[in-house]
């Protein structure tokens, strides 16, 4: 994980590095540090904790210089501490490295370097890089980096700054993202575009195996043996303000409110004007391709996996193709039975999740066609998939995913209808019924958000609960899983999701007074069964908060309180039911004084296994 940034130009590097790191803190915030060349000397400042700690240190002891690198860490190898913070240095302090990724063979390398006389100060895998650079230094930093990367196994994006090469930054990548920013007489390198957006909109992505050599005059890109590579510069067209908080207390709340717009943007250009068709220009499947599909695998992690679970219900129901949903970290190692008659859909907000990317590669190796549903243009997942369906949620900064999830759901509906059309298993009337209902989702989401104060009031008595169970059947169960994850990750409350009919097979033993049960009941064919399951928990004195469509007057007879959502097509219910669950998690976390946007132990983009 981690965020890295580098600057070379005429301005004071410290400020630019700190600004960049602020935008990368979503990638990790266990510690932060910078290294800047100050009058020919390499000066490093780093400290455990959030970036604010480093800012405070630098305010007291600023570093002056126009070339530097910076890092914000999500701890993998070694606990969060000053020593384990990046940048890491060689024995003589002549060079410094910031790194994102995991060097898998670091133990062997470390032991060997130690036997060669190198002394280490941290527990990190990263520290082997500066020592290797020191060990193999030929007087030519570029050549040395080329040599050192051949010794590294695992994933890396790193940037090196060296006292002996004062007019240079060298960056290299393998399986971890890096973007180069091109300014006027100044150049940037970073893990992600928001870090450079304040200074330039001209950028290109560094590919695996490439090196970028930044000097005050230009940036040169080469392959791993020094052969020059021409890069295609693109113009970043997002609104920089979209990545800011816009007056909301937290990014999460802002992003919850952005859902109507995000839903609209993700679906509108893909629905025909007469609401009879889904048009996915970016997915190039033919009717013959679809006829050949034996099975679909949806592979993802966390929230994206939960969107995939909804996708299973939707695709099986509409397109009549069997779907398996897999957790990417499991899928990649279970030798899945895949071939060119299978379709794999990977879902990832960031497009950089290491396990999802590995699962994608596994699927491609086995000959399956891969569609990516992702929110980040040019991300690794987007670049490696056969077809890409972008969710247009805009940058999602809060660690807890909200608008990315609801737009991923739209992705699932679009793909479901698209496949059904190509397979000719959906009538025009049926497609029109679902598409018309989809078009109404953004305004219905606005209605749910219009009730935010009411929802806030309703959940107020529950801010001190210690155990919450989310129950649902069918597609409601998939949303229950997402509700439970949301609550856990930002409020640190123990929460579990259960298929309501499964509770009596063991977990019912945990239900007692003081426990909150959130019961989703939007699927009318199984509504009575759901009510029976709610009665089972009521009989054990749990408090029950129900969720159903407006107009349902039955649920309130069994539960303590009901949150009503506008009526929609039952398959589309997840897009609306999840919003009160996001709001519930948000306000409970705020009431408990949690750091909503940056929950402990987590990071936005999980680029390690
Ligand atoms: C969601 O709130 C999480 N923070 C997390 O589960 C996330 O969805 C997961 O890490 C997958 O990320 P991706 O969508 O960027 O691949």
């Amino acid at each position: 994980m981690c965020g890295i940034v580098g600057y070379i130009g005429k301005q004071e590097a410290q400020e630019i590095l700190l600004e960049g790191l602020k935008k990368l803190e979503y990638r990790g915030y266990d510690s932060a540090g910078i290294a800047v060349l100050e009058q020919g000397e390499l000066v490093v400042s780093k400290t455990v904790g959030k970036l604010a700690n480093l800012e405070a240190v630098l305010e007291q002891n600023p570093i002056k210089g126009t070339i530097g690198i910076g890092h914000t860490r999500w701890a993998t190898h070694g606990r969060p501490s000053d020593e384990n913070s990046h940048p890491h240095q060689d024995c003589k302090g002549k060079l410094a490295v910031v790194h994102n990724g995991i060097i898998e063979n670091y133990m062997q390398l470390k032991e060997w370097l130690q036997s060669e006389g190198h002394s280490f100060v941290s527990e990190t895998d990263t520290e082997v890089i500066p020592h290797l650079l020191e060990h193999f230094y030929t007087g030519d930093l570029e050549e040395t980096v080329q040599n050192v990367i051949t010794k590294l196994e695992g994933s890396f994006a790193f940037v090196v700054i060296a006292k002996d090469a004062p007019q240079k930054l060298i960056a290299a990548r393998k399986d971890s993202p890096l973007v180069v920013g091109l300014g006027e007489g100044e150049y940037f390198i970073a893990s992600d575009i928001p870090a450079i957006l304040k200074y330039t909109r001209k950028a290109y992505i560094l590919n695996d195996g490439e090196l970028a050599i930044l000097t005050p005059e230009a940036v040169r890109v080469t392959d791993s043996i020094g052969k020059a590579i021409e890069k295609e510069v693109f113009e970043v067209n997002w609104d920089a303000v979209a990545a800011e908080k816009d007056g909301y207390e937290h990014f999460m709340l802002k992003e919850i409110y952005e859902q109507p717009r995000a839903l609209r943007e993700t679906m509108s250009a893909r629905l025909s004007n007469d609401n009879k068709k889904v048009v996915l220009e970016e997915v190039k499947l033919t009717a013959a391709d679809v006829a050949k599909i034996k099975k679909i695998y949806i592979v993802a992690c966390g929230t994206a996996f939960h969107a995939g679970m909804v996708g299973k219900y939707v695709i099986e129901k509409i397109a009549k193709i069997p779907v398996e949903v897999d957790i990417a970290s499991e899928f990649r190692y279970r030798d899945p039975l895949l071939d060119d008659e299978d379709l794999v859909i990977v879902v990832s907000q960031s497009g950089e999740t290491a396990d999802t990317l590995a699962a994608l590669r596994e699927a491609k190796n086995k000959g399956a066609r891969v569609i990516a549903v992702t929110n980040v243009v040019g991300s690794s997942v987007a670049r490696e998939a056969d077809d890409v369906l972008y969710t247009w949620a805009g940058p999602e900064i809060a660690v807890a995913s909200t608008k990315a999830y609801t737009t991923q759901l739209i992705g699932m509906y679009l793909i479901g209808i698209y496949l059904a059309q190509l397979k000719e298993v959906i009538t025009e009337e049926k497609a029109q019924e679902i598409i018309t209902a989809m078009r109404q989702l953004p305004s219905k989401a606005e209605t749910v958000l219009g009730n935010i104060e009411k929802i806030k009031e309703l959940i107020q008595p529950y801010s001190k609960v210690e155990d919450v169970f989310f129950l649902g059947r069918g597609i409601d169960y998939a949303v229950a899983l997402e509700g439970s994850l949301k609550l856990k990750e930002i409020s640190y409350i123990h929460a579990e999701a259960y298929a309501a009919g499964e509770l009596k097979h063991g977990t019912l033993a945990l239900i007692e007074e003081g426990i909150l049960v959130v019961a989703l009941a939007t699927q009318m064919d199984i509504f009575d069964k759901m009510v029976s399951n709610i009665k089972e928990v009521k009989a054990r004195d749990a408090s029950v908060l129900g969720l159903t469509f407006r107009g349902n007057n039955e649920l309130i007879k069994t539960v303590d309180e009901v949150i009503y959502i506008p009526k929609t097509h039952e398959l589309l219910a997840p897009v609306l039911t999840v919003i009160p669950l996001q709001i519930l998690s948000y306000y409970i976390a705020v009431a408990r004084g949690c750091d909503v946007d940056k929950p402990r132990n987590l990071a936005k983009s999980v680029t390690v296994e």
Side-chain angles (χ1 to χ4, degrees), residues 65 67 84 138 145 194 295 308 348 357 359 384 407 450 511 535 598:
I67 304 174
N84 289 334
T138 58
V145 171
K295 198 182 219 177
S348 174
L357 190 55
E384 295 192 28
T407 54
I511 305 294
K535 286 190 171 147
K598 292 176 191 149

Side-chain angles (χ1 to χ4, degrees), residues 301-304 348-350 353 399-401 485-486 489 606:
C301 302
T303 287
S348 174
Q349 186 285 129
S350 61
T353 299
V399 166
S401 188
L485 175 64
K486 215 84 307 173
E489 73 178 321
V606 187

Side-chain angles (χ1 to χ4, degrees), residues 469 471 498-509 511 533 536-537:
F469 286 80
L471 304 185
Y498 267 87
E502 181 65 12
L503 205 67
K504 55 186 171 295
H505 297 287
T507 311
L508 196 58
I511 305 294
N533 299 138
E536 288 159 12
V537 296

Side-chain angles (χ1 to χ4, degrees), residues 35 42-44 46 87-97 119 121 127 130-131 134:
L42 196 53
V43 184
V44 174
K46 54 187 188 175
H88 288 288
Q89 294 192 266
D90 61 325
C91 298
K92 299 192 196 75
K94 288 173 92 172
L95 54 88
V97 172
S119 44
V121 293
E127 202 185 343
H131 289 288
E134 178 180 37

Side-chain angles (χ1 to χ4, degrees), residues 5-17 34-44 63-70 87 96 141 159-170 185-189 213-218:
V5 63
Y7 172 77
I8 190 160
K10 295 185 187 68
Q11 302 189 59
E12 284 301 326
Q14 174 180 307
E15 204 174 305
I16 292 171
L17 297 173
I34 62 169
V36 175
L37 274 173
E38 187 177 56
Q39 293 178 343
E41 289 304 321
L42 196 53
V43 184
V44 174
I63 318 177
K64 299 269 167 212
T66 61
I67 304 174
I69 58 176
L141 187 62
V159 190
V160 192
I161 185 169
K163 185 180 157 163
D164 291 346
Q167 297 296 304
K168 224 175 241 181
L169 290 180
I170 301 189
E186 56 182 2
Y187 301 96
F188 309 81
I189 184 114
I213 300 96
L214 288 76
T215 67
E217 291 78 41

Side-chain angles (χ1 to χ4, degrees), residues 246-320:
D246 242 2
Y248 287 93
E249 201 185 335
H250 297 101
F251 278 113
M252 182 179 174
L253 187 60
K254 173 179 177 257
E255 288 160 7
I256 288 173
Y257 270 103
E258 282 173 344
Q259 290 180 106
R261 179 201 54 75
L263 294 171
R264 215 169 265 130
E265 288 186 8
T266 301
M267 75 173 93
S268 51
R270 288 151 171 166
L271 304 176
S272 68
N273 288 338
D274 58 5
N275 287 352
K276 287 184 179 162
K277 265 190 145 4
V278 161
V279 187
L280 297 186
E281 275 168 9
E282 54 275 77
V283 180
K284 304 272 182 260
L285 286 173
T286 62
D289 294 331
V290 176
K292 210 176 80 174
I293 299 172
K294 281 193 321 255
K295 198 182 219 177
I296 296 176
Y297 292 81
I298 305 181
V299 188
C301 302
T303 287
F305 169 76
H306 297 153
M309 285 196 60
V310 173
K312 173 183 166 70
Y313 286 98
V314 170
I315 296 171
E316 287 190 343
K317 194 137 216 142
I318 308 182
K320 315 285 181 216

